[in-house]
Amino acid sequence: MKLQRKNMLRASALGALVVSGALVLTACGSDDNTKTADGSAKPSAAAAGDIKCDDAKGKLLASGSSAQKNAVELWIKNYMAACSGVEVNYKSSSSGEGIVAFNQGTVGFAGSDSALKPEQVEESKKICTGGQGINLPMVGGPVALGFNVAGVDKLNLDAATTANIFNDKIKKWDDEAIKKLNPGVTLPSTAIQAFHRSDDSGTTENVTKYLKAAAPDAWPHEAAKKWAAPGGQAASGSAGVAAQVKQVDGAIGYFELSFASSQGIRTVDLNTGAAAPVKASGENASKAISAAKIAGTGSDLALKLDYTTKAEGAYPLVLVTYEVVCDKGNKAETLPTVKSFLNYTASDAGQKLLLENGYAPIPAEINTKVREAINSLG
């Protein structure tokens, strides 16, 4: 996909490269990261100056969550432009695959849309000599419910109706439950084509946590990375689900807002019980994430999100992507690069880049602890 340049680079002190959410680089690092897609110069000296390369060197491999794909690739582009001789490769797959790779010792860090389970922490101790895997919240954002219904430009849903759609209970777009939430909207009798992830996914887990918390009577399944509801159709990765929704009339699916923005897919406003339905946006997701509590201990910063918030303007269907690293026992050859790169992603410039591209920054009070944890890695 070609880079869609803004009319000019923002001349802010943060110097982050401003691009549209449509930017997609090759995860295996085959792009020339010293130039933009139209052949112009690499990011400005201001952007480079905000990145501390320290002792970073060589190649750093990482993999996992496709939810943070667009954000990580923007970070990598800026980072590699600033730190010559360093190569960071992020394989966008799924949270499950990323954690497996981390616990096999084949990557320096993994991206996951859900915190490590106790058994995964225990397994990580074999790789993290003298330590264990910890969760560092780095990317926040709304999980959008993208839809493609001919003639319908705006759609409101609540948790129970969404649950019944994905649970194969509501089968037509003109169902009375949907009509009730959308007065004045002409809804067709088109069959609903609900798409979910085929791979184990932290995005799926966050969606099902939301449905289980906000509509327990309509969603009898446990929250999990693996999709459990009957019916529907499956696609691989957030990109795969978004592609199907874009192509199929009557479709609905879930994926991070950046995928909807980059492909021009309309998104559902959620009726949470607040005065007005809430749009999926980085700002509205931040309002929900700001109420999160730290559930981890020590340098583990796993968060507990409130999926049932009714606060005005708070979009509750959110996820937080963690970078999973060893607190102690990281490989000596990659540790300096891991710390240098993650210090950039957690910096003011790195977090500002999220809001400009459909994600949500980690709240400052939590991000301060993230930076402390990064600096303590050993």
Side-chain angles (χ1 to χ4, degrees), residues 25 27 115 192 219 281 321 374:
L25 303 177
I192 294 174
W219 191 257
S281 73
T321 297
I374 293 168

Short mmCIF file of all heavy atoms in Angstrom, two decimals, residues 25 27 115 192 219 281 321 374:
data_model
loop_
_atom_site.label_atom_id
_atom_site.label_comp_id
_atom_site.label_asym_id
_atom_site.label_seq_id
_atom_site.Cartn_x
_atom_site.Cartn_y
_atom_site.Cartn_z
N LEU A 25 4.00 -1.23 6.18
CA LEU A 25 5.32 -1.64 5.74
C LEU A 25 5.39 -3.15 5.76
O LEU A 25 4.56 -3.83 6.36
CB LEU A 25 6.39 -1.08 6.69
CG LEU A 25 6.39 0.44 6.87
CD1 LEU A 25 7.45 0.82 7.88
CD2 LEU A 25 6.66 1.12 5.55
N ALA A 27 6.43 -6.50 7.12
CA ALA A 27 6.83 -6.89 8.46
C ALA A 27 8.20 -7.55 8.48
O ALA A 27 8.88 -7.54 9.49
CB ALA A 27 5.78 -7.82 9.07
N ALA A 115 -2.75 -10.03 28.59
CA ALA A 115 -1.62 -10.29 29.46
C ALA A 115 -1.30 -11.79 29.51
O ALA A 115 -2.16 -12.64 29.26
CB ALA A 115 -1.92 -9.77 30.87
N ILE A 192 -27.17 -11.06 7.58
CA ILE A 192 -25.96 -10.63 8.28
C ILE A 192 -24.85 -11.65 8.03
O ILE A 192 -25.04 -12.86 8.18
CB ILE A 192 -26.21 -10.49 9.79
CG1 ILE A 192 -27.19 -9.33 10.05
CG2 ILE A 192 -24.90 -10.27 10.55
CD1 ILE A 192 -27.61 -9.19 11.50
N TRP A 219 -24.39 -13.46 26.00
CA TRP A 219 -23.11 -14.07 25.59
C TRP A 219 -22.71 -15.14 26.61
O TRP A 219 -22.07 -14.86 27.62
CB TRP A 219 -22.00 -13.00 25.50
CG TRP A 219 -20.75 -13.52 24.84
CD1 TRP A 219 -19.60 -13.90 25.45
CD2 TRP A 219 -20.56 -13.76 23.45
NE1 TRP A 219 -18.70 -14.34 24.53
CE2 TRP A 219 -19.25 -14.26 23.28
CE3 TRP A 219 -21.37 -13.57 22.31
CZ2 TRP A 219 -18.73 -14.60 22.03
CZ3 TRP A 219 -20.84 -13.90 21.07
CH2 TRP A 219 -19.55 -14.40 20.94
N SER A 281 -13.02 5.94 18.61
CA SER A 281 -11.95 6.91 18.31
C SER A 281 -10.87 6.74 19.36
O SER A 281 -11.10 6.21 20.46
CB SER A 281 -12.48 8.34 18.32
OG SER A 281 -12.75 8.78 19.64
N THR A 321 -2.40 -3.35 23.97
CA THR A 321 -1.40 -4.29 23.52
C THR A 321 -0.17 -4.16 24.41
O THR A 321 0.32 -3.06 24.63
CB THR A 321 -1.00 -4.04 22.06
OG1 THR A 321 -2.14 -4.26 21.24
CG2 THR A 321 0.08 -4.99 21.62
N ILE A 374 11.12 -0.47 31.72
CA ILE A 374 12.03 -0.66 30.58
C ILE A 374 13.46 -0.41 31.01
O ILE A 374 14.38 -1.18 30.69
CB ILE A 374 11.64 0.26 29.41
CG1 ILE A 374 10.29 -0.13 28.83
CG2 ILE A 374 12.72 0.23 28.31
CD1 ILE A 374 9.70 0.88 27.87
#
